[in-house]
Structure formats: C-alpha cells, structure tokens
Amino acid sequence: MRLLTGARSLAHRAGIDITRWPHRPEAGVIDWALDEILRSRDINCVIDVGGNRGQSGQRLRSLGYTGRIVSFEPSPTVLPVISAAAARDPNWTVRPVALSSEPGQAELRLHKGPELDSLHDALPGVVDQIPIMEGIGTATITLSTLADEFQQIVAGIEEPHVLLKSDTQGHDAEVLRGAGDKGLDESVVAVLVELAAQPIYSDQPLMTTVMDLIMTDGFTPVAFEP
C-alpha cells in the first residue's frame, strides 16, 4: 500500500493519475477537484474536522500535498489510529476534540463502524439498513469551535490559504456555525464537506441547509461526488 501511495504521489506531480480499473464513472471526481484546489489556491493549511482513522490526511499526502494538516478527532475508538499516522508526519497534528457551534462537553455515540460515530442519535430503522450503525456505547468528549481554534491552527503561517474539510456524521452545520457571526475567516479559501442526501441521524440538517451556509459565506460549488 505504501508503494502504491508513493507511486500515486509521484504521478500526481507529473499530472498523471493512477486508479483501479474498471471504476465507477464518478470515481475520482473529488480527487481531481481537490488536486486542482490545492494547487490553484496555494493551500498551505488543511483543517480536517472528523479525521477518523486519518483517511483524509493520507489522501492529501497521496495527492502530493506537503503543507500543514490539523485534524480534529474525538472518538476514543479511532483516536489512537489517527494519532499514530500523524506521529510519522511532522506537519500533521491531531486535536482530540470535536468542533461544534459552542464549546463544552457532549456524549459521542459510538458504533460498530467507527466512521459512523456521531454526536447525533441514529434514526429508527437505520441499523436494519446499515448493520455497522449498531451502537456500542458512548464517550464524553470535549467540544471546541472553529473561532476558538483558528488562530492556533494557522499560527506561524505568514499567509495562510486554508482548506476546511468537514465530515462529522450529521454535525457539519454546527461546525460551520462555530466560525462565529462573521462566518469563516477570509483565509479559508475552500471547503470540502459531506452532504447527506438521505439523513441517517436525528436533527441532521438537509444537504441544502449545509450548502446554504457555505454559499452565504461566498463560496461556489465546484464538484460533487456520490
């Protein structure tokens, strides 16, 4: 796997992509768009909200991105995994807290599939459709906000050009609201966010609600991948 990742990184620098074949027609859209954004916007800092096992950080490195990554991951199930991945990368930091609209504490719902851990309860019947949504307990976690964390995230970067990525299983609108009344800092030049066409958590906002928050802040959609 490391050999393949290294080969993909070298190929991306030459403008070539290596993928499995055959693949779905839409596969690779986000990698293409992400690569374009990283280059065209001179991204030098990525805020990775909902870092999980470190998949996003590793994806960025496979695309050839070498700048700062700050991941936020509160789940005790995957925190050791992402922390171990970041420990091998001097420009990747992990914060063991969740981001929300207000600081404090909350109960994180843990699931068989830790990529589905959420601050929201699963909707009735979802476990029947998605077996790894079965709950295995809860964990008390610390909440912070983008507004409170931002200056420390970009500290030492003379001219930050920030990509905000948020994948928090139903909590992305609250992450965005945590930027404060004035919206995202002007140094945030791109946003990558999960949108739920079919909510699976209680109080999970419609995808259009999340899009409205981002577009009201002055952003324009450039790519979607199912």
Side-chain angles (χ1 to χ4, degrees), residues 72 95 97-104 142-146 148-149 178:
F72 290 83
R95 292 275 288 123
V97 302
L99 294 187
S100 189
S101 57
E102 298 287 343
T142 299
L143 303 178
S144 186
T145 68
L146 271 172
D148 288 344
E149 298 281 338

Side-chain angles (χ1 to χ4, degrees), residues 76-91:
T77 308
V78 294
L79 183 56
V81 181
I82 188 173
S83 296
R88 300 188 293 268
D89 188 324
N91 216 9

Side-chain angles (χ1 to χ4, degrees), residues 7-127:
R8 288 196 70 194
S9 180
L10 288 172
H12 273 113
R13 293 172 187 174
I16 300 169
D17 191 21
I18 300 173
T19 64
R20 293 184 180 276
W21 184 267
H23 56 258
R24 299 181 307 172
E26 73 274 13
V29 171
I30 292 301
D31 275 355
W32 166 79
L34 188 54
D35 190 44
E36 288 292 315
I37 292 295
L38 290 169
R39 295 171 184 274
S40 66
R41 296 295 182 267
D42 296 322
I43 302 297
N44 52 21
C45 181
V46 175
I47 305 175
D48 172 30
V49 187
N52 203 252
R53 296 184 178 93
Q55 301 96 313
S56 291
Q58 292 163 348
R59 183 185 208 176
L60 288 162
R61 295 304 188 222
S62 75
L63 291 172
Y65 173 72
T66 60
R68 180 178 299 178
I69 302 172
V70 180
S71 295
F72 290 83
E73 179 50 63
S75 174
T77 308
V78 294
L79 183 56
V81 181
I82 188 173
S83 296
R88 300 188 293 268
D89 188 324
N91 216 9
W92 185 359
T93 302
V94 177
R95 292 275 288 123
V97 302
L99 294 187
S100 189
S101 57
E102 298 287 343
Q105 287 191 322
E107 292 299 306
L108 183 71
R109 286 71 163 173
L110 306 177
H111 301 276
K112 277 189 174 180
E115 63 272 21
L116 299 172
D117 291 352
S118 177
L119 287 164
H120 301 259
D121 293 320
L123 289 173
V126 168
V127 175

Side-chain angles (χ1 to χ4, degrees), residues 121-130 133 198-203:
D121 293 320
L123 289 173
V126 168
V127 175
D128 296 334
Q129 303 174 48
I130 311 173
M133 281 285 287
Q198 180 178 344
I200 58 175
Y201 301 98
S202 64
D203 302 319

